[in-house]
Amino acid sequence: MRKKNSDGSRHARLLILVDESNVGSSVRTAGRGLDWLKLREFLAGPSTGRDLIEMVVYAGLPPATPAWQEERDKKNKFIHWLRSNGFMVVTKDGAPAEEGRYKANVDVMMAIDALELSVEMRPDVVILVTGDADFAYLAIKLRRRGIRVEVASVAANLGNILKSAANDVIDLAPLFRTFEMMNVQDLPAPAQQQQRRRMPRFRPPAPRHR
């Protein structure tokens, strides 16, 4: 049975789709660790007046090779935590790339799922947690089906095409500022430099003259 507001109108059914790599990169750039429970509460908590159907997280896994096994194990533990806390997680194995990186593009999976789930789950609202402009056409396709599309991102990572394709934009910057700061060694290189510039240098006391 669908819940109703105090005025008798029913709550909007909400489906949230998360590009884990994109939102993770945004919050790390801000020097913060991503609090997934706070993110869900912010987007779909009781104060929003919406009924969350599912929050689906699309995550790339490090390659299944000995060189990447340690990182893969860490990512799998994180995915297990997400699933244990009520998130639906869809994964894709990555492939080695240049400079000790790996690539696991989940865009196509997320787009196909969005169209299929919009038919199967019948949401009134879909929130795309990403700033990737490649999802602009998906936003338009969902809107053609009568679904309200909102994009949750930060301004610096939000493509203009995606912004104009959605019904509305949810700015995540204020939420990110409530997350805990990351350790300096865990920050991306530019953020590390910024943090280090803010740290006062230790200067030995001047010698006393007798």
Side-chain angles (χ1 to χ4, degrees):
M1 183 176 178
R2 294 187 178 184
K3 297 178 182 177
K4 293 186 177 181
N5 296 310
S6 57
D7 61 0
S9 60
R10 68 176 179 82
H11 288 187
R13 288 168 54 80
L14 172 64
L15 174 64
I16 302 175
L17 305 176
V18 185
D19 181 350
E20 182 263 340
S21 177
N22 188 276
V23 69
S25 175
S26 296
V27 76
R28 284 193 299 272
T29 300
R32 308 278 176 165
L34 181 51
D35 188 324
W36 286 90
L37 299 181
K38 276 189 176 182
L39 177 62
R40 182 170 60 189
E41 181 73 12
F42 180 75
L43 296 175
S47 63
T48 65
R50 294 171 171 178
D51 288 337
L52 179 62
I53 307 170
E54 287 287 358
M55 185 163 177
V56 190
V57 180
Y58 294 82
L61 288 173
T65 62
W68 285 98
Q69 193 58 49
E70 184 177 352
E71 291 299 319
R72 187 178 175 89
D73 290 344
K74 289 180 182 178
K75 194 65 174 281
N76 276 323
K77 287 181 181 178
F78 162 65
I79 289 168
H80 175 73
W81 180 89
L82 285 176
R83 288 173 173 155
S84 299
N85 282 274
F87 297 88
M88 181 185 291
V89 185
V90 179
T91 62
K92 179 179 180 180
D93 282 340
E98 70 284 348
E99 298 180 1
R101 298 176 181 271
Y102 69 93
K103 186 175 182 180
N105 195 330
V106 299
D107 293 8
V108 174
M109 296 170 62
M110 184 167 158
I112 292 173
D113 274 4
L115 294 174
E116 290 182 350
L117 294 176
S118 69
V119 174
E120 296 168 1
M121 296 183 172
R122 298 184 178 276
D124 301 302
V125 182
V126 171
I127 297 179
L128 302 175
V129 186
T130 182
D132 192 338
D134 289 345
F135 288 105
Y137 187 62
L138 170 62
I140 293 172
K141 290 285 286 184
L142 292 172
R143 289 179 65 181
R144 285 177 179 171
R145 297 187 176 193
I147 299 170
R148 178 179 174 82
V149 178
E150 298 173 0
V151 172
S153 184
V154 294
N157 275 18
L158 178 58
N160 288 330
I161 299 176
L162 178 58
K163 181 179 179 180
S164 61
N167 292 100
D168 199 6
V169 173
I170 301 171
D171 184 12
L172 294 180
L175 177 68
F176 285 178
R177 287 194 287 270
T178 70
F179 295 168
E180 292 185 5
M181 295 290 295
M182 295 176 65
N183 294 327
V184 173
Q185 61 268 25
D186 296 328
L187 296 173
Q192 284 186 29
Q193 294 169 5
Q194 186 177 12
Q195 288 287 329
R196 288 180 181 134
R197 282 198 296 269
R198 291 176 181 172
M199 295 173 65
R201 293 182 178 179
F202 172 75
R203 294 181 179 178
R208 294 182 179 179
H209 298 286
R210 294 183 178 179

